[in-house]
């Protein structure tokens, strides 16, 4: 397996919640996934009944990186800095980086996350992954709200994002 997608959350609780959903979605498949946060143990016994496609310990992440990595922005920074974390990115084929709750990345935190995303892109080398952002509450000023959202996302990720790429909520 090689790392193909990175899902970044602003906090562990959101990453853990999505892990539970992904567990159900990927049950019975060969798509590997796992949550890597400060709560992830270095080693340990796999719980009885744990799916083989879920990485549970840091050792498992290093030895056999998952297809999908769920983490938070702080741990992503540590992974890029530490040798044990960089092993996860070795021989990667990252195509997608998904940023959940992008509306939280504003002000000083937004600047820090923007710099982190540029370091991540540099660490990934020749790969040019697609950044995807999600937010239930991201708003924009006057005019077409997609324009402001696209400008915000372009500044955050460094990825040119046209207004046409912004998908708004559809009401029935």
């Amino acid at each position: 397996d090689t790392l193909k997608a990175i899902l970044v959350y602003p906090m562990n609780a959101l990453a853990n919640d999505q892990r539970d959903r992904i567990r159900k979605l990927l049950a019975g498949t060969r798509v590997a996934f796992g949550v890597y946060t400060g709560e992830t143990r270095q080693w340990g016994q796999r719980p009885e009944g744990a799916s083989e496609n879920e990485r549970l310990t840091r050792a498992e992440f290093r030895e056999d990186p998952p297809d999908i990595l769920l983490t938070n922005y702080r741990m992503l920074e540590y992974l890029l800095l530490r040798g044990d974390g960089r092993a996860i990115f070795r021989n990667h084929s990252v195509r997608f980086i998904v940023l959940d709750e992008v509306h939280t990345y504003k002000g000083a935190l937004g600047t820090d996350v923007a710099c982190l995303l540029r370091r991540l892109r540099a660490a990934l080398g020749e790969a040019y992954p697609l950044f995807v952002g999600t937010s239930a509450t991201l708003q924009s000023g006057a005019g077409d709200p997609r324009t402001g959202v696209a400008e915000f996302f372009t500044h955050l990720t460094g990825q040119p994002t046209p207004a046409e790429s912004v998908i708004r909520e559809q009401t029935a």
Side-chain angles (χ1 to χ4, degrees):
D1 288 328
T2 64
L3 185 60
K4 296 173 183 69
I6 303 170
L7 285 60
V8 182
Y9 299 90
M11 61 185 87
N12 290 354
L14 291 171
N16 292 334
D17 179 61
Q18 290 303 314
R19 177 209 46 224
D20 295 342
R21 291 177 185 187
I22 288 173
R23 232 181 226 155
K24 291 174 187 169
L25 286 171
L26 298 179
T29 72
R30 301 177 105 182
V31 178
F33 66 97
V35 173
Y36 195 116
T37 65
E39 299 169 356
T40 306
R41 298 178 322 230
Q42 184 72 345
W43 299 279
Q45 294 285 85
R46 291 184 66 81
E48 194 170 320
S51 171
E52 289 299 315
N53 64 332
E54 183 174 359
R55 305 299 179 260
L56 298 171
T57 65
R58 293 178 185 210
E60 289 177 336
F61 276 91
R62 284 190 307 272
E63 293 163 14
D64 190 14
D67 299 298
I68 303 170
L69 168 66
L70 292 83
T71 191
N72 60 59
Y73 61 87
R74 285 195 177 113
M75 186 53 67
L76 180 58
E77 185 150 24
Y78 290 135
L79 290 171
L80 292 174
L81 295 173
R82 296 188 325 213
D84 62 330
R86 286 193 305 264
I88 296 170
F89 297 101
R90 193 173 298 122
N91 301 319
H92 74 86
S93 56
V94 174
R95 295 189 56 210
F96 301 98
I97 300 169
V98 179
L99 305 166
D100 191 34
E101 303 291 339
V102 293
H103 63 274
T104 63
Y105 303 129
K106 57 187 174 197
L109 174 60
T111 301
D112 289 346
V113 170
C115 290
L116 169 63
L117 296 176
R118 283 153 181 80
R119 286 193 305 277
L120 174 61
R121 180 177 280 152
L124 295 176
E126 297 296 314
Y128 198 77
L130 176 66
F131 285 93
V132 177
T134 67
S135 175
T137 60
L138 194 59
Q139 298 293 321
S140 178
D144 184 351
R146 299 178 307 162
T147 302
V149 170
E151 288 174 6
F152 169 80
F153 199 68
T154 297
H155 290 300
L156 180 66
T157 63
Q159 168 185 281
T161 307
E164 298 77 33
S165 297
V166 176
I167 300 170
R168 298 182 63 202
E169 179 182 22
Q170 301 294 318
T171 55

